[in-house]
Amino acid sequence: MTVTELKKLLKDVSGESAEYEARLLMSHFGGYSASDILLKNPDFSSEELKGALERRMNNEPLAYIFGETEFYGEKYFVSPDCLIPRADTEIIVEYAIRHLKKNAFFADLCTGSGCIAVSILSHRPDCKAIACDISRKTLEIAQKNAALNNVTERIDFVQRDILSEGALAGKFDAVISNPPYIRSDVIGMLSEDVKKEPLIALDGGSDGMIFYRRIISEYSDSLDRDGFFLFETGYDQKEEISLLAKENSFFCECLTDYGKNHRGAVLRKEA
């Protein structure tokens, strides 16, 4: 099976990304380098490749098929128990790396794969963190990723439903979260690929803001002096998060992603 043949089979499910995905499959299962694929046009097949192709044609994301992905230069294990890390989330990591004070202690709520906390710690060896998620299986993945990226000794993991349980004890220099923020009525309109990801990591309630309200309510008093909230938000939630910040006496700085779309917010206590 050549890349051209794979591309044709993937076209309906992958669209414009079909050739890119075909190359990834050929590289992953055939062991071919990018130059081998380009110059030699290999013809390769295996039971593993056939199985992966069948799964992809059933709209399963490649990250789940491979069992891993890349985020902020690090490797991460993933499974259908966690949300797949996305490049847009890297702006949250970048902000934290630049703005956390020296020897900071931060909380990562709804940690999922652990990509935010682990990547921050990987680039800020002076910092420590606590990360929580509602799912035990998800936390197991996050713990594996902490070990994979050599930050286990600087992060603690806690199973916690932040919507129904109280705040984590302690003072934090930052409370960071990429919570579920998609409105419940939009879930059914998502792409078939995204629908393969855990619903619990996507559904942010009727207006997509339920987690932000809860986190701000529970953790405002947990922020140390000059501490901040750092949230990933939906591209269309700039007005809502700004209003929520104002209602709680926070100044809101909005962040844009690589496509210049609204993607995050930093909340600091007004002077």
Side-chain angles (χ1 to χ4, degrees), residues 95-96 99-107 170-176 215-216 219-231 245 248-253 265-271:
Y95 187 96
H99 294 280
L100 284 170
K101 72 179 188 181
K102 187 175 181 181
N103 299 319
F105 178 50
F106 66 91
K171 286 286 187 178
F172 304 103
D173 297 297
V175 174
I176 305 173
I215 292 170
I216 293 172
Y219 288 89
S220 290
D221 293 336
S222 298
L223 287 176
D224 209 344
R225 191 173 62 134
D226 299 325
F228 57 88
F229 288 114
L230 175 58
F231 296 127
N248 289 274
S249 301
F250 282 90
F251 171 77
C252 181
E253 174 190 357
V266 184
L267 277 61
R268 296 180 184 270
K269 273 292 184 181
E270 295 178 345

Side-chain angles (χ1 to χ4, degrees), residues 254-266:
C254 292
L255 306 177
T256 56
D257 61 24
Y258 301 132
K260 304 302 181 183
N261 299 306
H262 171 75
R263 185 57 62 185
V266 184

Side-chain angles (χ1 to χ4, degrees), residues 10 37 43 57 93 105 116 133 137 140 149 151 162 164-165 204 225 230 232 247 270:
L10 291 167
I37 294 171
D43 190 341
M57 292 175 71
V93 173
F105 178 50
I116 290 177
D133 199 278
K137 290 184 178 181
E140 290 174 356
N149 290 286
V151 302
I162 66 172
S164 63
E165 300 179 42
R225 191 173 62 134
L230 175 58
E232 178 169 336
E247 291 173 346
E270 295 178 345

